Amino acid sequence: MLDQIIHSKSEPGQSWPSESLTRVPYWIFQDRDTYAAEQKLIFQGPSWNYLCLSVELKNTGDFITTFVGDTSVIVARDSDGELYAFENRCAHRGALIALEPRGNTKDFSCVYHAWTYDRQGNLKGVAFKDGIKGKGGMPASFCMEEHNPRKLRLAEAFGIVFGSFSNDVPPLEEHLGEEIYSRIGRIMNGRTPVVLGRFTQALPNNWKLYVENVKDSYHASILHLFFTTFELNRLSQTGGIIVDPSGGHHISFSAIEPDGAKDNEYAEQDIRSDSEFKLADPSLLQSFKEFPDNVTLQILSVFPTFVLQQIQNAIAVRQVVPRGTGQTDLHWTLLGFAEDTPEQRLVRLKQANLVGPAGYISMEDGCVGGFVQRGIAGASCEQAVIEMGGAGTDSSESRVTEASVRGFWKAYRARMGM
Amino acid sequence: MIQDVVNLINHVQGAYVRCIDNGQLEAWPDFFEENCTYKITTADNYALGLEAGVIFANSRGMLCDRVASLREANIYERHVYRHFLGQPWILAEDAAEVSSETSFFVVRIMRGGATDVYATGRYLDVYRLNGGAPKIRERIVVCDSSRFDTLLALPL
């Protein structure tokens, strides 16, 4: 009896409630079996996962450790100038091979029993392999070549490094599609990125709630008052949503119209975000023109967990790392470029106040996922209503839509076989 | 002489954390010079010389804006801090300025009562003495951890 209870699922009927993308059941953010399946089917499946920036590994021997879902991964530059990535898991007994987040090394040695690996993740040494004085040691049949940590395929888009455990995923550029690929290029623009800072924001919610939030252009001007009041992002600015055919990647963008007419929609609907609010030091928002177009905001996501952000001159990469069903780490990497003038660099440092854990327009995203996670705690069989802008996942000129949120669920369900 | 300076800095810093912990944020920018730097960063970023902060201000006006935004714009669950400070270590001093380093320990108490260690680290400060009424010309808040739970709203 007890055995039955332990092995039965906490909630009955964990299937999708309907074919429509407009409903999302709440158990999807709570269920441990689902979480385990995501690791296999999404993160270790046919995805391109963000790993790092090429510029973080400039020299031979440079390495970083990062995450693909739950899996710790080492990325290293070898003496041939190429990057290699492999699981940070010793082939012997499973210990982490590298403990530091970054460094430079000739090879990697597991601290537990000193099994060593080259920078491409090949097992090169086993301590006391031949025993001592003819006694002990590994059997003669043991073949080091057959014992490597799993290796990842690697691909770069404009200096951004992605990895995949899958041999089936199409080449990165094809996987992203022209619209997404070219807009990563728009940001990087042939320049040399410089890391200005790294921060981790620990989110008290399932990873998918944060990804939904990134894709949700509907909330931006309502939840984030700072954003709206200074006309960084009004839904009535020109802009739009691009959702790729898979649904999994998206771009939300807006552009300034220098002579744009003032709108009254916010005042008419009595939305909180139209209050009077003036800055004592408006230099925070004094941007420089960085791109040939008038786009001042571009939020780009690549399924499952990569975000590239331009908010005025605040450029950042966000990596979403699941840490169990109800916890997520959001790794922020703030970027400048080697080509920046000192004045431009100062603008970026000031506009970094907009983003990150204390960001004027991003701090709310740190807590709102937790509000959902707590709100749905006793409601695993209830469901979210995602109907703004209809039921489809098409690109649109309106950002009063949840098309890209539905797009995420379209890609997610396809991958999960749901 | 050192003891006089330590007492002075202790006194100002006591008032500073009392101001934040009692929720009197509007008075917080008054601890700074008009031309000041206030930055919250991490030990990793600081060690690597990475410039960006979680918060970065280079004027008192930006600090006032931070308070105004917290009061009027930003959404976060109600919470308070309790700061505990170590003794300031005087790094350098002359007639006009004192550089000091002070460790801090900050507990965050959420609306629902959850009480957790939120941040530890050190203040790296430059005070202008202003004839016995010191104000902060530069405060770099170096947090020991790079991980911030949920969000950082109230200043450290």
Side-chain angles (χ1 to χ4, degrees), chain A residues 188-258:
Chain A
M188 306 312 279
N189 200 16
R191 298 176 290 178
T192 305
V194 175
V195 174
L196 301 181
R198 298 184 186 91
F199 308 103
T200 298
Q201 195 171 1
L203 306 176
N205 53 265
N206 186 273
W207 68 276
K208 300 184 293 297
L209 288 170
Y210 184 75
V211 176
E212 276 193 321
N213 174 279
V214 166
K215 289 171 178 286
D216 173 3
S217 53
Y218 175 31
H219 86 283
S221 64
I222 298 169
L223 178 65
H224 308 305
L225 170 59
F226 194 89
F227 218 161
T228 310
T229 305
F230 297 97
E231 301 190 349
L232 280 162
N233 173 36
R234 279 179 179 272
L235 291 175
S236 44
Q237 280 181 315
T238 63
I241 297 280
I242 297 167
V243 186
D244 89 305
S246 79
H249 321 312
H250 102 293
I251 299 157
S252 171
F253 68 98
S254 66
I256 46 163
E257 281 186 298

Side-chain angles (χ1 to χ4, degrees), chain A residues 275-306:
Chain A
S275 63
E276 287 293 314
F277 187 46
K278 296 276 177 283
L279 288 180
D281 185 346
S283 68
L284 178 77
L285 297 171
Q286 284 165 4
S287 303
F288 62 92
K289 187 163 171 59
E290 186 168 4
F291 303 102
D293 54 30
N294 288 323
V295 172
T296 53
L297 175 138
Q298 176 184 302
I299 307 294
L300 179 152
S301 70
V302 172
F303 188 86
T305 47
F306 169 75

